Amino acid sequence: MGKSQKKRQMRRHNPMRVPDSHLPKGLDAASASSSRKEAILPILQKMESPDPAERKWACVAVSNLIQNDPSTRRLLQGKNVVGALITRLTDSEEEVVIEAAGSLRNLCIDGGFDICAEMYNKNILAPLKTFVPKISTTLSKFLSTPKDVSESAQKLVYEFADNVITILWCLSETSNKAMNAINQISLIPFLMSFIASRDKLPTTTVTSAAQCLYVLTDENMPAVGELRSNAAFTTCLLSVIQSDQPAQPNSKNHAIPIDDRGLIFRVLCCGILKNIAPVPPPSLAATVDIDRAIVLPTLEPVLSLLSLSETTEQAQAFLAKEESIPEIEKLSLKHAPKSDHRTPSEVELQRLETKLRTVQLALEILTGLCASLPDPGSVVHGDDTKLDGDDESEGKLCEDMDADVDMVPDESPADSTPSNPTFFHTLVSPLLALIQPTSLSFPPSDGQSPHPPTTSALSAIHISALECLNNIFLSLRLAPAQAAHANADSGRMVWDALWHALDIVGTDINRPGQERRREMWEIGVGVAWGVANSWKGVLVPAESHIQVLIQLCNSTTDHSVKVKCIGTLECLAQHPDSVDSNRAIARYLLMLLPPAAAQPTATEPLLQAGSALIDIYSDETLPYDVNFRECNMLDALVASVEGVRRAVRGIDKKRERELRMRGEEVRDNLVAFIEYRRGLGV
């Protein structure tokens, strides 16, 4: 069972992108589905106009056309709009350069990796490199003599800096080649100058600098090393966390106002410190336990800042207001376009989206932290980590999931167990709330979401929360059996909450556009395995759950998902009194083994099925062992030995060394188990 690692993904502070991987490829398909194709040619023509006003208009018009419209974006891309905009970055008119940078920034956000790769291949870094020192020089003048510069001029430069930084951070996630090229620009001092002057600069620009720095320090050792080696930089980042007011959880009785940009900036600085930890002396950050003193206290309250159901209701209300606005009042190409032209409803939707992305970012950082928890088997429990809680603490476990319980100061996830009520409420309970889908979490099966950015953010939160839970329960799966029995109510609550979420997701996960639903199941079944392991023998298997797991195992082509399904079924089969469920699961597992399998089972699922049957029937005194005898499972296992041996021999010793060792272990255990059962004579 592998842990979910922190994924490289577009970390957008203004995510407009409509998931479109399922859409037909090619210009013909884009042209057929775009409602604005007539506007494309005039825009491209004006991009080359001798009149700078028309060139500026064309650059702004691109941003207006692509918003939440993948077909038009693809049509523009097919007409080389990226190349045309990159050319405008060297325009003789500054205003054209600024608007071209804004359009390219929005294309990065809207188009994702494909467009970023195209920009890199068309050498966008050449003009961007020249902008970095110019921006630094200009900002230095602004900060030293702010009264000598008009407010409008300052705003123009700040927005331009924001656009350039955003493009650079998007490009840095495109490929290792792009990242290596960006490493050569030496962006760290440039970006840290924004964070150091955060009190004098717009929050949006400073936040973009932090976003870029967060991405650059994500497993990128040149940037990590440069940041670690400068004590002033790391001390500055630490001061952001320690000096700013921490976020407060939302209350049922009153809503606590949140500085959205300030909060996401704080979370980003927390993530940067996590990326570069451990920090060497002489920095003050070297004296701080980043995980315990920075990451957990900063991020745990963020998990409870929002109610996803209430946020969805608010988004739907703003969407209804937006639909009621007459079309004539909305932006049109016939009028002078403005890059910041947004209705009040759009502004509020953006604000909600920023809050959602803040929660997603916190989850992403926590997933990385949870992935670094000790692996099962390496955790040594001393007397002070005894799992038996008293009656009072046991009662706390079943309190409402929104209970506000503070983190014990000297506690870390590595010290936590399923019986620890503080850990349970501060981390697990909020995560369970965040995996529950709302009506906007996924696009409908027959169309597009009414607001794709909100849908994208919500589904990302659900998936990130599942990844955190996956890592937590995998780390706790070897807790002693008596601990699980002592906390049976906790296990049932987690199990029920997980399946409630998956039931809402539904099993119609293979349609185009429903990739997020499928991902929910693929990660969710891993969480199910971890929970079932932690409370093995306690959870009563439901027939519906068994059938869904079997259906998913049969339908998926992902071997790791098959293994997770089989592992979960194995744990459910070990509920002592569920004889019928045990029989159904065992028969299915036997059908995965040779020669009974209708078609050859892949090696990893095959080994998991064989190992599962050994574990399920290792104790002949359990009530369900009657199934082993009555269903002649011993004969079936004997017949499978040669097929298992062939599968193990087929594993390459050099390329798949760990799998080969695992296979040999299962093969030997199977032979030994058969001899053991034969020796029982029952």
Side-chain angles (χ1 to χ4, degrees):
M1 283 191 288
K3 293 181 178 179
S4 298
Q5 300 299 321
K6 184 170 61 176
K7 295 181 180 179
R8 283 194 174 278
Q9 54 187 318
M10 299 294 286
R11 301 175 178 91
R12 303 174 297 269
H13 71 255
N14 179 26
M16 299 185 299
R17 186 168 186 241
V18 182
D20 59 5
S21 59
H22 63 283
L23 295 178
K25 309 297 182 185
L27 285 179
D28 290 341
S31 179
S33 56
S34 172
S35 60
R36 305 175 178 180
K37 57 185 177 183
E38 294 82 5
I40 302 296
L41 186 58
I43 289 175
L44 294 175
Q45 289 173 338
K46 289 185 178 182
M47 195 86 71
E48 306 293 333
S49 171
D51 183 353
E54 290 194 344
R55 296 199 302 272
K56 175 184 174 182
W57 182 93
C59 291
V60 176
V62 171
S63 291
N64 295 326
L65 279 182
I66 66 171
Q67 187 170 5
N68 294 332
D69 190 345
S71 296
T72 302
R73 172 177 51 74
R74 286 182 168 181
L75 196 56
L76 279 164
Q77 189 179 1
K79 301 292 186 180
N80 193 32
V81 71
V82 169
L85 287 169
I86 291 175
T87 300
R88 297 277 69 82
L89 290 179
T90 55
D91 198 282
S92 56
E93 293 290 330
E94 284 189 357
E95 289 190 1
V96 176
V97 174
I98 291 170
E99 295 299 346
S103 292
L104 286 164
R105 174 251 193 202
N106 288 345
L107 278 169
C108 281
I109 292 170
D110 199 47
F113 293 111
D114 290 342
I115 279 188
C116 289
E118 182 183 349
M119 289 182 187
Y120 174 76
N121 291 334
K122 291 181 176 177
N123 201 26
I124 192 176
L125 285 181
L128 291 184
K129 288 177 185 177
T130 66
F131 295 149
V132 171
K134 291 178 181 178
I135 292 171
S136 294
T137 302
T138 304
L139 286 179
S140 296
K141 292 179 180 178
F142 285 3
L143 294 175
S144 59
T145 56
K147 294 181 180 180
D148 295 344
V149 185
S150 69
E151 190 173 321
S152 59
Q154 291 186 46
K155 181 181 178 183
L156 207 61
V157 172
Y158 295 149
E159 288 181 353
F160 181 62
D162 190 344
N163 291 334
V164 170
I165 291 169
T166 301
I167 295 170
L168 287 169
W169 108 52
C170 290
L171 288 174
S172 68
E173 295 183 292
T174 303
S175 65
N176 289 332
K177 188 183 294 186
M179 177 70 86
N180 292 335
I182 289 172
N183 283 338
Q184 304 305 312
I185 303 177
S186 187
L187 282 178
I188 302 301
F190 173 71
L191 297 172
M192 281 303 307
S193 67
F194 287 87
I195 296 177
S197 303
R198 60 189 180 277
D199 296 335
K200 303 175 183 178
L201 297 173
T203 307
T204 52
T205 308
V206 175
T207 301
S208 293
Q211 285 270 14
C212 191
L213 197 57
Y214 174 58
V215 173
L216 285 175
T217 56
D218 185 5
E219 300 178 5
N220 177 32
M221 289 314 297
V224 170
E226 186 174 359
L227 201 53
R228 277 179 180 167
S229 64
N230 191 310
F233 290 168
T234 52
T235 300
C236 175
L237 290 167
L238 185 63
S239 70
V240 172
I241 308 297
Q242 294 180 332
S243 62
D244 293 354
Q245 287 295 318
Q248 295 295 323
N250 195 17
S251 167
K252 289 184 176 180
N253 299 323
H254 62 281
I256 298 178
I258 308 165
D259 177 0
D260 302 332
R261 288 292 178 192
L263 177 58
I264 198 169
F265 171 62
R266 193 165 179 270
V267 171
L268 282 164
C269 290
C270 176
I272 296 165
L273 285 171
K274 172 65 179 170
N275 286 346
I276 66 172
V279 178
S283 170
L284 288 176
T287 65
V288 177
D289 184 329
I290 299 296
D291 285 350
R292 291 189 178 194
I294 300 297
V295 177
L296 286 170
T298 302
L299 300 187
E300 281 177 349
V302 176
L303 301 185
S304 302
L305 281 173
L306 292 177
S307 163
L308 297 189
S309 59
E310 291 178 5
T311 302
T312 297
E313 290 176 2
Q314 292 171 359
Q316 290 171 328
F318 291 131
L319 286 172
K321 288 182 180 178
E322 185 66 15
E323 290 175 357
S324 67
I325 299 175
E327 284 296 320
I328 195 169
E329 294 182 18
K330 296 184 178 180
L331 183 64
S332 167
L333 284 174
K334 295 179 182 178
H335 301 88
K338 298 179 182 179
S339 57
D340 60 349
H341 183 98
R342 292 184 298 173
T343 66
S345 297
E346 288 174 333
V347 171
E348 290 302 320
L349 285 168
Q350 178 68 59
R351 190 164 159 272
L352 288 178
E353 198 178 325
T354 299
K355 291 183 179 180
L356 290 172
R357 290 294 178 182
T358 304
V359 175
Q360 181 203 349
L361 177 63
L363 289 168
E364 179 185 308
I365 299 168
L366 282 173
T367 298
L369 185 148
C370 293
S372 64
L373 293 176
D375 285 326
S378 65
V379 180
V380 178
H381 296 287
D383 293 338
D384 60 336
T385 57
K386 191 173 181 180
L387 300 178
D388 297 310
D390 56 29
D391 291 339
E392 181 179 351
S393 64
E394 289 298 320
K396 291 181 181 178
L397 283 171
C398 300
E399 291 175 356
D400 186 85
M401 291 204 306
D402 292 329
D404 182 12
V405 184
D406 294 329
M407 188 76 173
V408 176
D410 61 352
E411 181 186 84
S412 73
D415 303 321
S416 305
T417 67
S419 68
N420 188 314
T422 302
F423 165 75
F424 195 86
H425 281 293
T426 56
L427 216 59
V428 175
S429 291
L431 290 173
L432 291 174
L434 292 174
I435 68 172
Q436 305 301 323
T438 74
S439 57
L440 284 180
S441 293
F442 307 102
S445 58
D446 56 350
Q448 181 176 293
S449 163
H451 193 245
T454 299
T455 293
S456 174
L458 285 169
S459 60
I461 286 174
H462 302 324
I463 288 167
S464 296
L466 280 173
E467 289 174 335
C468 283
L469 287 169
N470 180 63
N471 289 347
I472 287 171
F473 286 110
L474 290 185
S475 296
L476 303 177
R477 67 180 181 180
L478 288 191
Q482 66 269 26
H485 284 274
N487 296 286
D489 288 344
S490 301
R492 282 189 282 269
M493 189 186 81
V494 175
W495 185 254
D496 290 345
L498 173 63
W499 279 99
H500 181 266
L502 294 176
D503 286 342
I504 296 174
V505 173
T507 56
D508 186 14
I509 59 177
N510 294 316
R511 290 175 181 264
Q514 300 302 322
E515 293 80 8
R516 286 299 208 179
R517 291 183 191 267
R518 183 166 64 249
E519 195 172 354
M520 283 282 287
W521 272 102
E522 290 172 349
I523 301 170
V525 74
V527 180
W529 191 6
V531 175
N533 254 301
S534 297
W535 283 277
K536 188 183 295 182
V538 172
L539 300 174
V540 179
E543 182 180 353
S544 59
H545 295 165
I546 293 172
Q547 292 306 313
V548 168
L549 289 168
I550 290 174
Q551 177 186 338
L552 179 59
C553 189
N554 288 337
S555 63
T556 184
T557 57
D558 188 324
H559 296 171
S560 66
V561 176
K562 287 182 181 288
V563 169
K564 293 174 188 177
C565 292
I566 294 167
T568 308
L569 289 168
E570 170 194 341
C571 297
L572 294 178
Q574 295 180 61
H575 185 261
D577 299 323
S578 299
V579 178
D580 291 342
S581 296
N582 173 277
R583 184 187 308 111
I585 292 171
R587 283 176 172 170
Y588 175 69
L589 297 179
L590 284 170
M591 291 301 295
L592 297 177
L593 298 180
Q599 55 185 8
T601 304
T603 302
E604 289 182 73
L606 170 65
L607 296 176
Q608 188 65 41
S611 176
L613 286 164
I614 295 170
D615 288 344
I616 292 169
Y617 295 109
S618 60
D619 186 350
E620 70 278 3
T621 65
L622 291 171
Y624 58 67
D625 195 72
V626 63
N627 293 326
F628 188 87
R629 300 187 297 272
E630 292 183 354
C631 297
N632 297 319
M633 292 186 191
L634 182 58
D635 292 342
L637 290 176
V638 170
S640 72
V641 171
E642 184 54 36
V644 172
R645 283 176 174 157
R646 281 198 304 270
V648 173
R649 284 198 300 269
I651 304 173
D652 191 305
K653 288 183 179 180
K654 294 182 179 179
R655 297 176 60 186
E656 299 179 289
R657 186 169 175 269
E658 290 186 8
L659 182 59
R660 178 61 182 257
M661 292 174 62
R662 161 78 168 154
E664 291 173 350
E665 180 186 14
V666 172
R667 176 200 62 200
D668 294 344
N669 287 346
L670 180 59
V671 173
F673 178 71
I674 289 171
E675 292 304 315
Y676 168 72
R677 294 296 308 208
R678 278 175 172 166
L680 292 177
V682 293

